[in-house]
Amino acid sequence: MAARRLSVAFALLCGLAVGVAASFAQDRAIVLATTTSTQESGLLDHLLPIFRDKTGIDVRVIARRADEVLDGARKGEADVVLTHARPQEEKFVADGFAAKRFDVMYNDYVLIGPKSDPAGVKGKDIATALKAIEAKGAPFVTRGDRSGTHAAELALWIVAGIDIAAAKGAWYREAKQGMVAALEAARAANGYVLSDRGSWIAFRDRGDLDVVVEGDKRLLNQYGVMLMSPEKFPNVRKELGQTFVDWLISPEGQAAIAAYKVDGQQLFFPNADKTGG
């Protein structure tokens, strides 16, 4: 009987220990809302284990298009936001959802198209390239999903002096999905598409696609990170979230970003602004 009581007590103790461990693990976790580009590129699979090993903090990821990231964050669904839609991010801060926004890293957008280049845009600047695509009615795939990349594309049509809402026709095709789906649609249509470079490098099944326009300063793709406002959302894990933000913009976090490569190519370039804004 005594042995049985000891056995029961031991089982209860083990159960308590497991419960405490689970509770501790829960307490050492944050939710990061970010865009599909950071997820699909493989960057987070590289960064988050490094951060967890250093701090013991687990980062749970919600990956969506940029507008959904910010819409969800406005409802308190995340502790930290990492995205690439600077005008929207600055409004997010101005509206009080975050106190500061910090530059973290950048890559650039590239115009992808068939190697045969039916619109004759290779080597041109992005505005000239878009004008040629529209003039020739060459197939162009837009993400069409209100993502950061879609917003950048729409801004570039304006730079090119084209009202895409009025000019679009059968040649202008909406993928309505993520970057990989848009690249696949462009490959199938033998058409053009705007992609962030990270997603392009990570995209394997390229078929006849290649980079046709790159290097234009208007193709810069800047990423920023923000801790959600604890004043607006009292449940935000302020200390843990701030630890993640601080690590991303620290020399160690910046080095980890720079170290991530696919086929020997660096996908993101650290440029942390530690003063925020």
Side-chain angles (χ1 to χ4, degrees), residues 33-49:
T34 189
T35 57
T36 55
S37 60
T38 53
Q39 181 84 314
E40 292 177 353
S41 67
L43 177 67
L44 296 180
D45 292 334
H46 167 73
L47 290 181
L48 299 186

Side-chain angles (χ1 to χ4, degrees), residues 113-120 190 192 208 212:
K115 293 176 182 176
S116 59
D117 191 18
N190 202 38
Y192 297 88
D208 193 47
V212 292

Side-chain angles (χ1 to χ4, degrees), residues 122-147:
K122 190 169 180 62
K124 304 290 198 303
D125 66 77
I126 188 62
T128 301
L130 292 177
K131 288 176 184 177
I133 290 169
E134 187 270 338
K136 296 187 178 182
F140 183 95
V141 176
T142 175
R143 283 187 55 168
D145 61 356
R146 298 173 61 205
S147 63

